[in-house]
Amino acid sequence: MIARFSIHPAIGIARLGNSPTSFCIASEQRGRFPIDCDQNGNPIVNADGVEQPVKSFVDSNGSIRRQAARFAVFVYDDNNPDGREIRIGDTFDIVNQKNGQLQTVQVNDISWTVYLANKKASWYEFKQTDGEHGYGPDHKLRNANITDTEERQRLIIDPGPRSVAVKTKNRAQFDGSRPPAFFPPPLTPNSITSLGEAICTQASAHNRLLVLGGFGNSGSMLTGFGNPKIETYANNDGWFDDISDGPVSARLICTIRKISGLDPPKDLPKEELLATFPVDDPAWVVVAYPRYVPEIVDIVTLDDIAFDIAVRQFAAVPYIYGEPPFTSAPAPADLDRWRRKAWWNPAFRPFFYRDIWPILSDPNDYGLVMDKDAFHGSNPHNTGRGGRLDESVISIPPHEGEDPCDRERRRAVREFIAGIVRRSHQENQWLASSQRDKNGKLLYLIPWLCGDNPLSNVAPSKFLRLTDTMLFLLDQWAAGLFVNEKTEDIVPGPMLKGPGRALDRGALSSGLGGSFCPGGEVSWIVRNFAIYSAAYRFHHAPSPSPGALSQPSGVPGSEPATVADLKTGLEPGDLTKYSAVPWQSDFNECTNQPIDVSYSGWNSINPDSTGDPAKPDPQLTYWWPAHRPVYVTEYVDQQPSYSGPWSPTATNNAGDLQMVTAWASLKFLKKTTDDQGNLVIGPADTPTPTS
């Protein structure tokens, strides 16, 4: 097997901070703290060589440390079918893509190229789910009053690509130092002169890349009375922020040791022969806002979204979803036919603690960051003995010799829980159709969190639901088709094998996978499988041109030099352009939302109008408290020290403007215990207020 090289994670997430010099490495495992590192990006390790979590989210001056996305190159060959990270000095057999020759090469270095951009100010206005399946000709653009082609091009923050390598230039800024770089004019309150930095590191012969994002700067170029001002949660003309995203590619810098059987030094020239080879599978990086409670896992994560796409669209786990006998994946050229034929494997048995328990138990942590529990008092949000989520009951599968009454009791509990989990096409349904409490009242469907569009009456999607893959796993468990790996003394492996895939999943596990209005790190575009080239990998546009990145059409009398077309692949800035500008406005307002449950097909109704006498029935629903805490009770030394709102900002336009700077003063939180041993929340760090 000829060696194939891939960058992992396939999608990395970096996070903003306002510290000018201090940073850490973003979390690469589900529900874990970021990794501490020195000023050069080298991870801090203990005596056993284990990388250590951060002790502080802020620097010595109280400023928030940025979090870098870390990338590495992995090789896949006969000796490493599940992949391993390459080391400097490794020797591999590579096919020269230009002439087809087989070459044996030794790796000397890795040259990395990253291209970050921010297209928010040039893109369409965000209007809930409008545009998810294409924009209409009358969909308004942001900054629509700017109609000149060249001026609209300058709405894109575009520093151009940067390349780094250990042996040449190991740090590079995404700034305006290389024409035709475009950056905004002076802004109020904070100007933007950089989107971040790329850094090469080397430790134990592993050359890696760190991508740092911006400093959380946002500002308006509009002047005059009343400016700067925030007028909406998502679309504010004149505003820019330093959120960004873009492709990450690499080339192996090698010494040629053999060419199609010719051995040096007898047959090859005496001098050292050098060559560079592109890494086969590039990656992507997204720069997002800080994650203030990194240990709390979203009910649906970005990894859940990417894994669902990998399973149902790219045959990543054919024994779960595929064609009978569910044993092998199709060739890439056969994927379209496979997608028409594939279906769920009815005999698949998930592992309880690997596949089921996280779905059911992780939402319990939501009670630490909101003033009501995640399910508003409804079962099964109860993990104690005798509760609906009693682990000692729901973890036991049907087995020979068990008491028939116990079997029936466990079956009833599993089916009860599955019966109140929101399904496909139930995004606008509030109550379960069959499950009732002990008083005979219908129970709420769960999760009870805001969906993609609880705001407008165009394609409403009021409540969040789990992915199709998560629902399939729960249904298998509810039917009794599952395995308790602990009682069976089994250590199950991951569904996606290899350390590279573990990085793919871990890096995305801190991202928000629902409530895309517009969402957290990215918006609903991430669940469109057409933007992927393979499982977890985006389809890259060929050679994007600095200063000429694509834009939407639709400006009267003016067309961009390059019209946006996702069919050609993603360009720098193409993931985050759907998100709010500035990011702080949406972040501030995503606390809770009164959702009208009178009609399943309407978000807002007009009871005073003719023909619609229904009375609105608003139900308070939360957005994403695992990302943006709402109400907290903090504990210090096992005693409550503060109880109240996490942020002092009001959830209105004035509060949105305040959040433009207040974000840098908000507390980071961590899990701890009270004096009774109960899980509670406490401050991890309190940044120094900014002036």
Side-chain angles (χ1 to χ4, degrees):
M1 174 183 177
I2 302 300
R4 182 176 183 85
F5 300 92
S6 301
I7 301 175
H8 292 284
I11 307 166
I13 296 179
R15 297 193 181 275
L16 303 172
N18 66 332
S19 173
T21 57
S22 184
F23 61 92
C24 56
I25 300 170
S27 174
E28 297 174 343
Q29 293 180 290
R30 180 183 173 97
R32 301 289 183 87
F33 270 23
I35 301 163
D36 214 348
C37 67
D38 63 21
Q39 62 183 0
N40 296 315
N42 300 306
I44 306 299
V45 299
N46 64 14
D48 297 322
V50 177
E51 295 178 342
Q52 296 300 289
V54 294
K55 294 181 179 179
S56 178
F57 289 89
V58 302
D59 65 14
S60 58
N61 295 316
S63 297
I64 295 176
R65 302 169 72 185
R66 289 182 292 172
Q67 297 180 25
R70 180 169 61 174
F71 297 91
V73 175
F74 284 67
V75 61
Y76 294 82
D77 56 17
D78 288 334
N79 296 322
N80 308 281
D82 294 330
R84 71 163 175 86
E85 186 178 357
I86 67 171
R87 298 168 64 94
I88 300 305
D90 280 345
T91 300
F92 302 106
D93 289 334
I94 296 178
V95 173
N96 188 313
Q97 296 180 0
K98 293 182 179 179
N99 56 28
Q101 284 184 324
L102 177 66
Q103 300 181 353
T104 301
V105 301
Q106 185 176 40
V107 179
N108 296 334
D109 201 354
I110 302 172
S111 176
W112 302 88
T113 299
V114 186
Y115 192 165
L116 296 179
N118 178 311
K119 290 185 173 182
K120 289 184 180 183
S122 72
W123 195 239
Y124 294 100
E125 286 191 350
F126 181 82
K127 293 183 179 179
Q128 295 79 50
T129 53
D130 286 12
E132 182 172 6
H133 303 291
Y135 290 97
D138 58 346
H139 196 110
K140 187 178 179 182
L141 297 174
R142 289 170 176 161
N143 295 291
N145 62 309
I146 298 176
T147 58
D148 180 79
T149 299
E150 293 185 5
E151 289 181 359
R152 288 204 64 83
Q153 198 67 42
R154 291 184 175 274
L155 292 173
I156 298 176
I157 305 177
D158 180 6
R162 296 291 186 271
S163 295
V164 290
V166 166
K167 293 186 177 181
T168 53
K169 183 178 182 180
N170 69 343
R171 297 179 82 122
Q173 294 284 340
F174 297 102
D175 57 17
S177 61
R178 296 185 187 178
F182 289 166
F183 276 83
L187 307 174
T188 304
N190 295 311
S191 294
I192 299 169
T193 58
S194 172
L195 290 183
E197 184 177 6
I199 303 174
C200 265
T201 67
Q202 186 179 75
S204 302
H206 293 304
N207 284 18
R208 294 166 178 161
L209 171 73
L210 300 181
V211 180
L212 288 162
F215 296 94
N217 291 327
S218 300
S220 173
M221 65 180 178
L222 302 182
T223 60
F225 182 76
N227 285 301
K229 60 184 176 182
I230 298 285
E231 297 182 294
T232 78
Y233 75 97
N235 308 296
N236 290 284
D237 286 352
W239 278 82
F240 298 84
D241 63 34
D242 57 4
I243 293 289
S244 63
D245 69 278
V248 177
S249 60
R251 298 183 70 88
L252 303 181
I253 303 174
C254 304
T255 299
I256 298 176
R257 296 303 186 194
K258 183 184 293 186
I259 300 177
S260 297
L262 300 178
D263 291 319
K266 178 181 178 182
D267 301 312
L268 294 179
K270 293 289 191 290
E271 64 268 16
E272 186 175 55
L273 298 180
L274 300 179
T276 63
F277 299 89
V279 170
D280 301 281
D281 300 316
W284 205 270
V285 63
V286 174
V287 178
Y289 52 74
R291 184 75 194 268
Y292 291 91
V293 200
E295 294 172 294
I296 295 184
V297 178
D298 294 296
I299 291 178
V300 180
T301 69
L302 276 180
D303 175 57
D304 292 323
I305 296 293
F307 183 71
D308 180 65
I309 291 172
V311 168
R312 296 191 297 115
Q313 304 295 340
F314 293 99
V317 194
Y319 56 84
I320 291 181
Y321 187 91
E323 292 182 281
F326 302 101
T327 55
S328 60
D334 200 32
L335 268 176
D336 285 340
R337 185 207 61 81
W338 176 88
R339 288 172 183 140
R340 295 191 295 269
K341 299 285 187 179
W343 55 299
W344 299 106
N345 180 2
F348 174 71
R349 293 175 183 259
F351 288 102
F352 180 79
Y353 287 100
R354 184 191 69 180
D355 305 324
I356 304 301
W357 187 236
I359 298 175
L360 300 177
S361 62
D362 282 348
N364 289 311
D365 291 343
Y366 273 51
L368 304 176
V369 287
M370 51 195 281
D371 53 353
K372 293 182 180 179
D373 68 64
F375 303 129
H376 289 228
S378 70
N379 286 323
H381 189 66
N382 184 349
T383 57
R385 184 169 292 276
R388 292 292 187 181
L389 281 182
D390 186 341
E391 182 181 349
S392 66
V393 173
I394 64 176
S395 67
I396 302 175
H399 58 276
E400 292 185 8
E402 67 179 318
D403 183 286
C405 293
D406 288 341
R407 173 182 287 212
E408 174 58 24
R409 178 168 62 95
R410 288 191 284 264
R411 180 203 62 78
V413 172
R414 293 195 307 271
E415 291 186 354
F416 172 87
I417 294 171
I420 60 171
V421 174
R422 184 171 285 104
R423 304 282 155 165
S424 176
H425 308 301
Q426 290 184 323
E427 290 89 344
N428 298 312
Q429 189 172 329
W430 178 38
L431 299 176
S433 59
S434 59
Q435 302 292 2
R436 299 177 181 270
D437 64 14
K438 61 183 179 181
N439 297 317
K441 294 183 178 180
L442 289 173
L443 292 171
Y444 309 126
L445 284 172
I446 56 174
W448 189 348
L449 293 173
C450 292
D452 298 327
N453 179 17
L455 304 180
S456 78
N457 288 335
V458 179
S461 179
K462 301 183 182 185
F463 300 105
L464 177 70
R465 76 167 177 92
L466 306 184
T467 68
D468 289 349
T469 300
M470 296 168 79
L471 290 170
F472 169 73
L473 296 173
L474 281 178
D475 285 343
Q476 295 298 97
W477 163 78
L481 299 172
F482 69 103
V483 176
N484 184 319
E485 61 266 46
K486 291 185 178 180
T487 59
E488 298 293 338
D489 198 22
I490 297 173
V491 180
M495 290 188 187
L496 300 180
K497 295 181 180 180
R501 286 299 193 195
L503 282 177
D504 292 347
R505 302 203 67 181
L508 289 185
S509 65
S510 67
L512 181 69
S515 302
F516 289 138
C517 188
E521 293 81 2
V522 292
S523 192
W524 32 249
I525 189 64
V526 77
R527 63 186 177 207
N528 185 340
F529 84 90
I531 70 171
Y532 293 81
S533 61
Y536 282 80
R537 295 198 183 272
F538 294 128
H539 175 40
H540 292 211
S543 302
S545 300
L549 295 179
S550 67
Q551 296 213 46
S553 60
V555 180
S558 176
E559 283 294 309
T562 307
V563 177
D565 181 7
L566 287 179
K567 293 179 181 178
T568 64
L570 295 180
E571 285 185 347
D574 271 354
L575 278 184
T576 54
K577 66 187 180 184
Y578 302 89
S579 301
V581 56
W583 67 267
Q584 292 97 335
S585 57
D586 182 50
F587 182 84
N588 182 63
E589 293 200 29
C590 279
T591 54
N592 50 47
Q593 177 77 34
I595 295 180
D596 176 32
V597 295
S598 302
Y599 293 164
S600 63
W602 296 84
N603 280 316
S604 60
I605 58 176
N606 299 298
D608 298 328
S609 68
T610 301
D612 195 355
K615 181 180 180 180
D617 185 11
Q619 300 295 318
L620 192 68
T621 307
Y622 284 85
W623 280 101
W624 19 281
H627 278 234
R628 198 281 193 204
V630 181
Y631 187 95
V632 297
T633 298
E634 298 172 11
Y635 282 71
V636 176
D637 297 329
Q638 299 186 315
Q639 299 295 325
S641 63
Y642 169 79
S643 186
W646 172 72
S647 171
T649 56
T651 53
N652 55 27
N653 291 343
D656 299 347
L657 184 60
Q658 184 182 356
M659 184 62 80
V660 168
T661 54
W663 70 272
S665 304
L666 298 174
K667 289 183 180 180
F668 286 80
L669 302 174
K670 64 180 179 180
K671 293 180 182 179
T672 185
T673 56
D674 63 13
D675 56 4
Q676 301 297 314
N678 299 310
L679 182 65
V680 292
I681 204 81
D685 267 319
T686 303
T688 299
T690 56
S691 57

